[in-house]
Amino acid sequence: MSSAKYFPQNIIIKKRDGGALTREEIQFFANGVANGEFAEYQATALLMAIFWRGMTPEETAWLTDAMMNSGEVIDLSDLPGAKVDKHSTGGVGDKVSLILAPLAAACGISVPMMSGRGLGHTGGTLDKLEAIPGFRVGLSVPEFRAILQKVGAAMIGQTPQIVPADRKLYALRDVTGTVECIPLICASIMSKKLAEGIDSLVLDVKFGKGAFMKTKAQALELARAMVAIGKVSGKPVRALLTAMSQPLGRCAGHTTEVIESIECLKGNGPTDLMEVTYALTGHMLILGGAAKDEADARAKMEAAIANGSALQKFREMCVAQGGDARVVDDYTILPTAKKRIEVKALANDQGFVSEVDALTCGHAIMALGGGRAAVTDAVDHAVGIADLIKIGEPVAPGTRLCTLHVNDDAKGAQAEAHLRAAIKFSATKPQSEPLIQDLIQ
Ligand code: URA
């Protein structure tokens, strides 16, 4: 395309005035951002215009495609079996990927998973994996392919060659108030997933206090937009809408979440975490042709946990990626915090737990040093929350609300204050909110 035909200012003015951009204009924008022809100040002006004016489904699909093609698109078609990934919009205590990838692989699906790091109150899969001594997430594409072929699951970070336009655009959105825009989120997530070489995709679109999308209506809009992109790209996409008002499972942090994930693979997982894991993995098995329906998928997944094959896949993946697989049997090799502090119910804390605010729990992790305020921050893998009480459970003075894994007393005290603010009580048992609220396909 001749860049002389297009001028960033004309594209900005067109969108500012409510016009729909052409495929070529969108390609010029995505490529121009990646190669510098579209200056950052012009890109941010266009992002703000998109934020206010929105994009048609066609424009969103073109943006996704243009972003995906701004870098390398991995071709895994020569590898045997169905390649299916899962993406979650993120939440607190969401360690599903660590359980789901080996579980799906044990059931015959190939899982090429590229994940992100934690930012703000939500944790990141890569940081959790790096709590395992030696575990390498920075694999090259050839290493990624080789592990995928040998083990059936590989979990890595995004390579610099994949969707370079998103790296630049996301960094600009982050500092210009243009993150919360459904067409931009949709194109950002889907361009990266489609560049991974997948055949199909399952999405976990979370909503609630601890999620990126605060309301179910927003989550539904995002889910529908992403499923629509899948249709245009010829890749089946299913999205589950899941509630994220309280943390998933009973642990949040890095070491604590790795332990909880391994316990899930050993058959000792908490009900809520297993419900979401089984639902998402089940749809992966159906999309990949490894199960005929949800009941069949459930039977296969339960068997893979009961016969140890899912745990064995986790071990194999650890070994293949340089991690110390002894972690499966010995949690003491994980980074361990200096102190454990039990947070107990006070004299007036009586009745039932009515709320465990996921966002405030995320702030507790940040206070402990287990989160990242800026992308360049280091995280303390050892600190975190374990044994977290759940909504609906009975409480009397002295009941344990959680155990904090702490490396610094002052930070521990701050985290305890957050936890006490997060947990609320009621005299009667609250109605439980369904965890999985919709399936969009
Ligand atoms: N996650 C992404 O990868 N991109 C967004 O725009 C938002 C969340």
Side-chain angles (χ1 to χ4, degrees), residues 162-215:
I162 298 231
V163 195
D166 183 62
R167 198 160 306 112
K168 289 212 178 161
L169 285 175
Y170 196 84
L172 294 175
R173 286 168 59 207
D174 202 23
V175 291
T176 57
T178 49
V179 168
E180 300 88 347
C181 169
I182 292 205
L184 295 177
I185 298 171
C186 180
S188 164
I189 294 176
M190 293 302 290
S191 60
K192 287 177 285 193
K193 290 287 129 186
L194 294 171
E196 273 178 13
I198 49 167
D199 298 320
S200 51
L201 176 68
V202 174
L203 295 164
D204 181 4
V205 184
K206 296 196 173 292
F207 65 93
K209 283 193 175 155
F212 191 50
M213 297 280 127
K214 298 298 171 204
T215 68

Side-chain angles (χ1 to χ4, degrees), residues 278-411:
Y278 279 141
L280 292 164
T281 318
H283 285 291
M284 289 173 73
L285 300 195
I286 296 167
L287 284 176
K292 55 180 192 296
D293 53 29
E294 286 179 48
D296 184 32
R298 182 67 181 242
K300 289 189 162 118
M301 292 183 288
E302 284 179 354
I305 300 246
N307 66 24
S309 57
L311 187 64
Q312 178 57 20
K313 278 287 166 211
F314 183 87
R315 266 199 193 92
E316 288 170 23
M317 195 174 69
C318 266
V319 172
Q321 299 200 213
D324 189 339
R326 288 175 306 161
V327 69
V328 167
D329 307 300
D330 181 3
Y331 299 144
T332 64
I333 66 173
L334 290 163
T336 304
K338 288 186 197 139
K339 256 193 194 170
R340 290 183 185 202
I341 299 172
E342 289 205 343
V343 178
K344 293 191 172 166
L346 303 173
N348 292 328
D349 297 344
Q350 189 88 37
F352 295 88
V353 175
S354 58
E355 189 179 338
V356 184
D357 181 327
L359 178 61
T360 312
C361 291
H363 292 153
I365 300 286
M366 299 277 290
L368 287 171
R372 205 182 258 114
V375 274
T376 46
D377 290 350
V379 293
D380 182 346
H381 291 105
V383 297
I385 301 170
D387 312 316
L388 183 62
I389 201 158
K390 306 291 294 184
I391 293 173
E393 290 182 343
V395 177
T399 303
R400 183 178 64 195
L401 304 178
C402 73
T403 307
L404 293 175
H405 292 220
V406 173
N407 267 334
D408 174 296
D409 287 339
K411 291 179 179 175

Side-chain angles (χ1 to χ4, degrees), residues 6 31 71 80 86 100 103 110 139 208 253 287 295-296 328 336 364 375 394 423:
Y6 297 97
N31 292 333
K86 184 270 316 184
L100 165 148
L103 177 58
S110 204
L139 305 181
L287 284 176
D296 184 32
V328 167
T336 304
V375 274
I423 303 174

